[in-house]
Amino acid sequence: MFEGLGAIFSDPAAWAALITLVVMEVVLGIDNLIFISILSNKLPPEHRQRTRRIGIGLALVMRLGLLATIGWIVGLTAPVFDLGLSGAGFETAFSWRDLILIAGGLFLVWKATKEIHHSVDTTPSHDLLEKDKKDVVINNVGSAIFQIILLDLVFSIDSILTAVGMTDHVPIMMIAVVIAVLCMLLAADPLANFIDKNPTVVMLALGFLLMIGAVLIADGFGVHVPKGYIYAAMAFSALVEALNMMSRNAQSKKAKAQAARAEADAAEVRAEKAEAEAAAEQA
């Protein structure tokens, strides 16, 4: 086994494939990580970190399990049925991969729309994932993990099929997947805390999930949107939001400085008035 690994990694092309795969897997994992972060932030604080780690751990197990059945995964791209319709840029010859992507995309669109509705409408609801309901914590955690598993399956299949298209060596795929998931694990808590502390970022992240869901549905129908366009749009939106946050922070600091200056001026006026009154009493 180790001799085989040595033979593989003695080839510079294998190292190039590994580095490229790690980058691709990390980028593809952003979608999964955003969903896990938003969903875990709906839980009480004491359950968030554990739920995130369980979700990311399941993502790793699912990816490695799918790699172990690589022949079956490749077979998912074979057409299952065809509606006989086709047009410019789309087709209706569906494979199991297409059906899974469409189902996952519909779920993401539904979930993102529901969360956006909850963010806009402040009317209390009976959702199991309301973070202020302590009596349904067990159901909350179970519901969150179940939804994470569903999306883990969709993202894992997409991730593995991407890996299969880039190299034929399963050990390279496994190493790339493990490194990418470890990066997700390290980034999970900081990202979730950042999203939780910045409400406008939550809406931006939900918009990302909505777009990703639409892209998964389109991909299922044979309309392939280049991932570079998607992530470029996400990066541009994140940059604009970062500039807005910097502007709000600068305005907040300016307002605090003005308030402190006004308070200092008022204190000085009071001190001068007290001195004047004391001098008048002495006279």
Side-chain angles (χ1 to χ4, degrees):
M1 176 181 176
F2 292 104
E3 293 179 358
L5 288 176
I8 292 174
F9 286 104
S10 63
D11 184 4
W15 285 101
L18 176 62
I19 295 171
T20 305
L21 256 183
V22 168
V23 174
M24 286 294 297
E25 292 295 327
V26 169
V27 171
L28 290 173
I30 292 174
D31 310 341
N32 205 348
L33 195 55
I34 291 175
F35 180 79
I36 291 174
S37 298
I38 291 178
L39 203 58
S40 63
N41 283 345
K42 299 288 288 181
L43 298 171
E46 63 270 18
H47 294 279
R48 295 177 186 176
Q49 186 181 64
R50 180 167 61 91
T51 301
R52 284 193 290 268
R53 290 180 177 177
I54 290 174
I56 295 173
L58 289 172
L60 175 60
V61 171
M62 205 166 292
R63 282 165 167 78
L64 293 178
L66 291 174
L67 279 174
T69 57
I70 195 72
W72 177 73
I73 291 298
V74 172
L76 290 177
T77 58
V80 178
F81 64 90
D82 190 350
L83 298 179
L85 302 175
S86 62
F90 80 95
E91 58 186 21
T92 57
F94 296 102
S95 64
W96 283 114
R97 172 187 177 273
D98 296 330
L99 296 177
I100 291 171
L101 290 180
I102 291 171
L106 289 173
F107 176 75
L108 263 186
V109 169
W110 168 77
K111 188 64 182 176
T113 303
K114 183 180 177 183
E115 293 300 328
I116 290 173
H117 174 72
H118 286 173
S119 299
V120 174
D121 186 4
T122 57
T123 304
S125 69
H126 299 288
D127 193 343
L128 283 178
L129 288 177
E130 289 294 337
K131 65 173 73 174
D132 57 343
K133 294 184 178 180
K134 303 295 185 181
D135 56 332
V136 290
V137 169
I138 297 178
N139 288 334
N140 283 353
V141 175
S143 175
I145 291 176
F146 177 72
Q147 294 180 58
I148 288 172
I149 289 173
L150 291 180
L151 261 297
D152 275 348
L153 177 62
V154 176
F155 289 127
S156 294
I157 290 176
D158 194 30
S159 170
I160 297 307
L161 287 175
T162 300
V164 170
M166 297 184 66
T167 181
D168 295 327
H169 301 297
V170 175
I172 292 179
M173 298 182 205
M174 288 188 170
I175 293 172
V177 165
V178 171
I179 294 174
V181 172
L182 287 176
C183 291
M184 289 172 60
L185 190 60
L186 292 174
D189 289 341
L191 177 63
N193 293 333
F194 178 75
I195 290 176
D196 189 51
K197 293 176 182 177
N198 296 276
T200 55
V201 175
V202 174
M203 192 61 68
L204 183 64
L206 289 172
F208 289 164
L209 291 181
L210 200 60
M211 178 176 66
I212 293 165
V215 169
L216 288 177
I217 294 172
D219 199 0
F221 279 96
V223 180
H224 303 292
V225 181
K227 294 290 178 66
Y229 294 165
I230 301 168
Y231 294 116
M234 291 171 66
F236 178 76
S237 301
L239 176 61
V240 171
E241 181 58 29
L243 293 175
N244 286 333
M245 291 173 64
M246 292 172 61
S247 175
R248 287 194 296 269
N249 289 336
Q251 292 175 359
S252 176
K253 289 180 181 178
K254 183 178 179 181
K256 289 179 180 178
Q258 290 175 344
R261 189 178 301 114
E263 185 177 350
D265 292 341
E268 185 178 353
V269 170
R270 288 195 299 269
E272 291 176 354
K273 183 177 179 181
E275 289 178 2
E277 291 176 354
E281 288 178 358
Q282 291 177 357

